Amino acid sequence: MGSGSSAPKARKGSSVRNVTVRTGQLQGSGTDSLVHFIFYNEHGDKSDVITPNKPLRNDFERGDIDTYPLTTPGNFGQVTKIELWCNAWLGDKWYVDYIKVGEIGRASCRERV
């Protein structure tokens, strides 16, 4: 669902949001596991499971800031809660410093941890 340098165009009835994740700088903060998100809106509705990934890139490494254009339903509204997890390998931990979600083309975004 993540992509390279160009943002995907929103499908009819959907919108594209930039999701920026900053992995902490503590020793062992990064992960090699797949990371998954579910977005919730102000009405408690939730998105499908989103698994961002940039091919040929080592995502979510210590101190990295990763940005992904992700698609949600166009009438989804404001993201008020994010559920996230990773399929951790034995001993693999992931420390998230912050997550920012905003719609592409809009200046405002909400920061969540």
Side-chain angles (χ1 to χ4, degrees), residues 7 23 25 28 39 45 47 51 55 65 68 78 80 87-88 93 104 107:
T23 299
Q25 295 197 34
F39 297 140
D45 300 325
S47 70
T51 305
I65 298 175
Y68 303 89
Q78 182 176 342
T80 58
N87 297 350
K93 297 176 181 160
I104 290 178

Side-chain angles (χ1 to χ4, degrees), residues 48-110:
D48 293 332
V49 175
I50 300 167
T51 305
N53 183 36
K54 292 184 180 177
L56 305 175
R57 185 174 188 302
N58 201 356
D59 305 274
F60 307 112
E61 292 302 303
R62 185 175 92 175
D64 281 359
I65 298 175
D66 297 295
T67 301
Y68 303 89
L70 303 174
T71 303
T72 58
N75 60 350
F76 191 75
Q78 182 176 342
V79 175
T80 58
K81 177 180 163 185
I82 302 169
E83 181 179 347
L84 68 141
W85 70 96
C86 62
N87 297 350
W89 297 75
L90 183 62
D92 188 23
K93 297 176 181 160
W94 182 40
Y95 173 74
V96 178
D97 192 14
Y98 64 78
I99 297 174
K100 291 182 181 181
V101 178
E103 288 191 38
I104 290 178
R106 292 197 181 175
S108 64
C109 62
R110 309 250 324 157

Side-chain angles (χ1 to χ4, degrees), residues 28-49:
S29 292
T31 186
D32 290 326
S33 301
L34 289 176
V35 170
H36 311 280
F37 298 96
I38 297 176
F39 297 140
Y40 293 84
N41 67 14
E42 63 271 16
H43 305 292
D45 300 325
K46 64 181 186 177
S47 70
D48 293 332
V49 175

